[in-house]
Amino acid sequence: RRGAGMSLERFDALSAGLADGVRSRDGLVGLVLLGSASDEASARRDEWSDHDFFAIIEPGRGAQIRPDLSWLPDQDRLVLTAREGEIGFVAVYDDGHVFEFAFSEIDELAGAVAGDASVVLDDADGSLAELIERARSRAAASDQFDAVNDTRLVLVKLLIGTGRVRRGEVLGGGEFVRQWAVKHLVRALRGRFADRSTTLRDTIDPTRRFERDFPEWGERIAAILSQPLEPAARELFAFTREVLEPGWPEFPSRAADAVAERLGWPRHPGTEPRRSLPG
């Protein structure tokens, strides 16, 4: 049985609890709510929305303060906390709600990217507001896709991944096919058909809300990925040629032919496969 989803009232209460916790904890100086936790993206929230945020520590006190998460709200309902790298953290509550956050000094976020964001608490100099402006600029710059290069990388990931699967490295090969090839395919589609990407897109992760901008292709890719690994890889290859190649001189057709030849796949949908080269 599925549990009850997060209510908007509880979401708001947790946001307020975060602000109170940061205010009351000595050594914490700032809070930024990100993504659907921000005010500007509140209309996008649903029962699966998490709290993404930056919690900022006074300069020079990161190592001292970071082990202490007692400032998080509803301590009696926390069932899990974990670290992701040096400054990344995750927390899970007993109702399944998730916090994902950077807990750091401001200088440790120098390369951060951000889209929707609300600065809840800032220092007197407005340092966090400046940080977010720079992070948004970086996100906007990354929201540009080199469709030619990403298409080339789709072919590379499918070739390497399928080879690893045939070698018996199913987990590693699967990562190349189901993760890396798909990520580059999504980037290639967004770059090649940029006019179809709407303001709903995530400027940081191009796979987010892809199905809303490209519903038919999102459904097809999802159906392809439900297959076993090699059929999925072969169908992703066919999909890539079918959708991206026609009318696009920059498509790496010769490379796609070489990949098909090496793997013994049809060069184009509906054609017979060619014999693979000895492996």
Side-chain angles (χ1 to χ4, degrees), residues 127-179:
S127 302
L128 266 180
E130 292 180 8
L131 169 74
I132 293 304
E133 283 305 306
R134 293 193 298 270
R136 281 175 163 160
S137 296
R138 279 188 289 271
S142 69
D143 188 35
Q144 306 292 327
F145 306 110
D146 183 342
V148 174
N149 195 62
D150 278 306
T151 301
R152 292 171 178 171
L153 289 172
V154 172
L155 301 177
V156 171
K157 304 308 180 184
L158 291 175
L159 176 61
I160 294 173
T162 302
R164 292 192 179 182
V165 171
R166 290 182 182 181
R167 184 188 284 155
E169 300 176 19
V170 177
L171 294 179
E175 184 177 35
F176 272 82
V177 172
R178 300 192 189 278
Q179 180 176 341

Side-chain angles (χ1 to χ4, degrees), residues 12 29 49 107 145 149 197 237 272:
D12 289 340
V29 295
S49 295
D107 288 347
F145 306 110
N149 195 62
S197 286
F237 174 83
E272 291 298 317

Side-chain angles (χ1 to χ4, degrees), residues 137-235:
S137 296
R138 279 188 289 271
S142 69
D143 188 35
Q144 306 292 327
F145 306 110
D146 183 342
V148 174
N149 195 62
D150 278 306
T151 301
R152 292 171 178 171
L153 289 172
V154 172
L155 301 177
V156 171
K157 304 308 180 184
L158 291 175
L159 176 61
I160 294 173
T162 302
R164 292 192 179 182
V165 171
R166 290 182 182 181
R167 184 188 284 155
E169 300 176 19
V170 177
L171 294 179
E175 184 177 35
F176 272 82
V177 172
R178 300 192 189 278
Q179 180 176 341
W180 295 112
V182 170
K183 185 171 287 290
H184 287 294
L185 176 57
V186 165
R187 290 177 58 87
L189 291 169
R190 286 203 183 273
R192 176 85 169 87
F193 305 99
D195 58 332
R196 291 185 55 178
S197 286
T198 69
T199 55
L200 292 172
R201 73 188 186 280
D202 189 312
T203 57
I204 299 172
D205 181 356
T207 62
R208 293 291 309 276
R209 296 182 287 280
F210 178 81
E211 294 88 345
R212 296 193 186 183
D213 289 342
F214 303 88
E216 178 186 351
W217 292 343
E219 184 177 347
R220 285 187 61 189
I221 293 170
I224 288 169
L225 294 177
S226 70
Q227 301 180 81
L229 269 172
E230 179 151 352
R234 187 172 62 245
E235 290 301 315

